[in-house]
């Protein structure tokens, strides 16, 4: 759950006829959120997507660059535009710096998830109570990502990244000393809010400093840091917990994140293209309200939240199931189950091809069906069946998340940064609710209850997608070929 998605609008310079942070639409969406002739805007510092992946977080296929024909036929000489590209001083450092930032961030965000059974035993907490050490962090991130994205526009991307990582690591060094569960949850919630500064500004930092045609490769390494951090943090925590206890594991995670944060600060080149803008709470609120009144975006937010509810529930509780009978795995082996996250890397690379073949709703139906099949398979009291179920759940989740997150920027007509920020809020709220409710269900009636909760979320996601399909089918006959607008040329 610690992966970020590549924003579909990070593709070059602003298209003619646009103003900073807003793009002129080149196509119109159908009622499902699909777009015909998807827009190909380019970013400015104020329009870059603050999303971060998760989560897990994994790039969707980017759209074609939005550069004009003139700019395409006359490439800018290296360094002439003040931006970075391969072979130029600072480009390699920039990519490595953002990899380190992603690694640090997602090592911390879900650090307690693999050790929840030991936290329950050590602090005398129920699974539902202990799960708030994960849910608290994701709630903090969800609430802080939009305000911090606004601060990055005023005070600078690198500065906000540095401060966010410093505060998150400082809290990580304090967290192992928490005397009780309440203090631990409070510190983790504050840490999540600090971590939000990374997804809120990392993509914009890259968009400011890296030349458009090389941006995807730079973002890809940041996303790789997210994925590797999310997986390795859980595996490291699981094995250190088995050897020396959960407090030592949290300290090991904190020290790992500290090294990554220092590497980021030493490697990150000074910004050359950032232009500060005045803070406007009223303007931000107006844009956010507009997005929340858009039914297409609302459906995408709901779908993203429901997929993440399942993912949060399953991976918060699975450690309890695997360390108890009939499996009885050690804490280290149970933590190693998070290596299944690597499935998400492969699925994300195929998501673009699946979308081209099946369409957006087709991929969503496929993801919902795959997750549901995995949930049912995981009910078997056989380790290989559980692992197979987790592989299907992970693959289906990443397919659905890639499509939903990639659709947000294509659906929003202005304020794409805020639109993506709202998706992140919904996404991490789903993670928080899934973790908390899944743990309560497990404590009350075992794994089957957690699976029932997750299946209910998938039924709702299927209902939302089916509604979009029917809306699209109803809308199509109303537009005759004669009345259809003529596609723009060029």
């Amino acid at each position: 759950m610690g992966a970020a998605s590549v924003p579909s609008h990070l593709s070059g310079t602003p298209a003619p006829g646009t103003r900073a942070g807003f793009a002129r639409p080149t196509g119109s969406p159908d009622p499902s959120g699909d777009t015909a002739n998807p827009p190909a805007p380019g970013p400015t510092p104020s329009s870059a997507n603050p999303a971060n992946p998760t989560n897990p977080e994994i790039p969707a296929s980017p759209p074609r660059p939005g550069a004009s024909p003139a700019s395409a036929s006359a490439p800018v000489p290296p360094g002439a535009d003040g931006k970075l590209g391969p072979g130029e001083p600072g480009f390699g450092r920039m990519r490595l710096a953002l990899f380190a930032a992603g690694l640090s961030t997602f090592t911390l965000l879900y650090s307690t998830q693999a050790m929840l059974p030991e936290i329950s035993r050590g602090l005398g907490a129920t699974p539902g109570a202990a799960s708030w050490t994960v849910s608290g962090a994701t709630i903090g991130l969800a609430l802080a990502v939009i305000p911090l994205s606004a601060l990055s526009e005023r005070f600078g991307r690198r500065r906000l990244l540095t401060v966010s990582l410093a505060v998150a690591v400082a809290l990580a060094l304090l967290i192992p000393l928490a005397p009780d569960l309440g203090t631990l949850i409070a510190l983790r919630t504050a840490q999540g809010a600090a971590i939000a500064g990374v997804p809120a500004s990392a993509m914009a930092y890259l968009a400011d400093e890296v030349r458009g045609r090389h941006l995807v490769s730079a973002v890809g390494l940041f996303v790789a840091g997210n994925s590797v951090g999310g997986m390795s943090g859980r595996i490291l925590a699981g094995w250190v917990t088995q050897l020396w206890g959960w407090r030592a594991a949290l300290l090991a995670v904190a020290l790992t994140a500290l090294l990554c944060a220092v590497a980021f600060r030493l490697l990150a080149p000074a910004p050359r293209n950032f232009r500060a803008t005045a803070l406007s709470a009223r303007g931000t609120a107006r844009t956010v309200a507009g997005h929340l009144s858009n039914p297409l975006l609302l459906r995408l937010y709901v779908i993203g939240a429901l997929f993440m509810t399942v993912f949060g529930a399953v991976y918060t509780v699975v450690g309890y199931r695997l360390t108890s009978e009939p499996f009885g795995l050690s804490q280290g082996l149970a933590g190693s189950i998070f290596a299944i996250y690597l499935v998400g890397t492969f699925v994300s690379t195929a998501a673009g091809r699946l979308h081209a073949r099946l369409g957006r709703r087709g991929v969503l139906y496929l993801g919902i069906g795959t997750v549901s099949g995995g949930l049912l398979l995981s009910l078997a009291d056989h380790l290989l069946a559980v692992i197979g179920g987790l592989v299907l759940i992970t693959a289906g989740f990443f397919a659905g998340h890639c499509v939903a997150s990639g659709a947000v920027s294509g659906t929003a007509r202005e304020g794409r940064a805020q639109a993506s920020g709202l998706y992140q809020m919904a996404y991490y709220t789903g993670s928080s609710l899934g973790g908390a409710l899944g743990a309560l269900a497990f404590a009350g009636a075992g794994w089957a209850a957690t699976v029932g909760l997750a299946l209910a979320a998938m039924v709702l996601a299927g209902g939302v997608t089916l509604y979009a399909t029917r809306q699209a089918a109803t809308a199509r006959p109303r537009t005759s070929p004669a009345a259809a607008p003529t596609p723009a040329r060029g």
Side-chain angles (χ1 to χ4, degrees):
M1 291 175 289
S5 55
V6 176
S8 61
H9 60 290
L10 297 183
S11 55
T13 56
T18 65
R19 55 192 178 91
F22 298 91
R24 181 182 58 195
T26 60
S28 57
D30 71 23
S32 69
D34 286 324
T35 56
N37 304 320
T44 63
S46 63
S47 66
N49 191 336
N52 124 15
T54 180
N55 177 351
E57 2 62 328
I58 300 292
S61 298
R64 62 185 183 275
S68 65
S71 63
S73 60
V76 178
D81 58 354
K83 293 199 172 189
L84 301 172
E88 297 174 27
F91 181 71
R93 288 176 55 200
M94 170 72 80
R95 296 177 74 229
L96 289 175
L98 268 295
F99 176 83
L103 190 64
S104 179
T105 297
F106 287 94
T107 296
L108 293 174
L109 184 60
Y110 292 100
S111 58
T112 61
Q113 196 169 53
M115 62 182 80
L116 287 177
E118 288 300 316
I119 291 176
S120 289
R121 281 189 282 269
L123 297 178
T126 65
S131 71
W132 280 101
T133 63
V134 179
S135 297
T138 53
I139 285 175
L141 191 154
L143 294 176
V145 66
I146 288 183
L148 289 181
S149 67
L151 289 179
S152 79
E153 301 285 357
R154 177 66 181 87
F155 298 106
R157 325 297 190 189
R158 190 178 72 158
R159 180 179 299 175
L160 184 63
L161 283 162
T162 301
V163 172
S164 293
L165 288 172
V167 174
V169 169
L171 289 168
L173 294 170
L174 291 176
I175 283 172
L177 305 176
D180 52 49
L181 184 63
T183 304
L184 179 59
I185 292 172
L187 288 172
R188 288 280 294 155
T189 302
Q191 186 180 51
I195 287 171
V198 177
S201 51
M203 298 298 187
Y205 181 39
L206 289 170
D208 287 349
E209 306 301 329
V210 175
R211 196 167 296 118
R213 63 181 176 273
H214 306 302
L215 190 56
V216 171
S217 67
V219 171
L221 200 58
F222 172 65
V223 171
N226 297 346
S227 302
V228 173
M231 178 186 70
S232 62
R234 293 170 172 97
I235 295 176
L236 172 66
W239 283 105
V240 175
T241 297
Q242 179 175 322
L243 295 173
W244 296 294
W246 64 270
R247 293 184 187 273
L250 286 174
L251 180 60
V253 169
L255 293 175
T256 302
L258 173 61
L259 292 176
C260 293
V262 170
F264 165 78
R265 191 62 185 88
L266 293 176
L267 289 168
R272 295 188 291 181
N273 302 295
F274 173 72
R275 298 293 181 269
T277 59
L279 294 173
S280 174
R282 180 177 298 179
T284 300
R286 185 166 50 248
T287 301
V288 167
H291 292 326
L292 293 177
S293 65
N294 184 330
L296 310 182
L297 287 174
L298 280 177
R299 284 198 286 273
L300 293 170
Y301 297 153
V302 169
I303 288 171
L306 289 171
F307 268 107
M308 195 56 172
T309 296
V310 174
F311 211 58
V314 166
Y315 277 102
T316 295
V317 170
V318 71
Y320 288 101
R321 186 176 191 218
L322 293 177
T323 55
S324 59
E325 296 301 329
F327 306 107
L329 298 186
S330 68
Q331 187 66 56
L333 286 174
S336 297
I337 206 73
F338 290 98
I340 291 173
Y341 268 46
L342 290 174
V343 172
T345 302
F346 296 105
V347 171
S348 67
T349 61
R353 295 190 296 273
L354 285 173
H355 180 266
R357 175 171 299 205
L358 303 176
R360 183 169 300 143
R361 293 185 300 276
V363 177
L364 288 175
Y365 285 129
L366 179 63
I368 291 165
T370 303
V371 170
S372 300
L375 288 167
L376 293 173
L377 182 60
S378 72
L379 288 169
D381 287 334
H382 192 285
L383 184 59
L384 289 179
V386 173
I387 292 174
L390 291 175
V391 168
L392 292 176
I393 292 166
T394 303
F397 162 76
F398 276 109
H401 168 54
C402 281
V403 169
S405 62
V408 168
S409 291
T411 301
R413 283 293 173 254
E414 59 181 35
R416 285 181 168 83
Q418 288 82 6
S420 295
L422 286 169
Y423 180 84
Q424 292 296 306
M425 286 184 65
Y427 177 81
Y428 283 109
T429 299
S431 174
S432 302
L433 291 175
L437 295 177
L440 288 174
F442 181 81
W447 179 254
T450 302
V451 168
L453 171 71
L455 284 172
M458 286 294 90
V459 169
L460 288 174
V464 172
T465 308
L466 180 60
Y467 174 79
T469 302
R470 290 182 173 178
Q471 288 288 99
T474 302
R476 284 191 192 106
R478 296 176 184 172
T479 304
S480 64
T486 302
R489 297 182 178 274

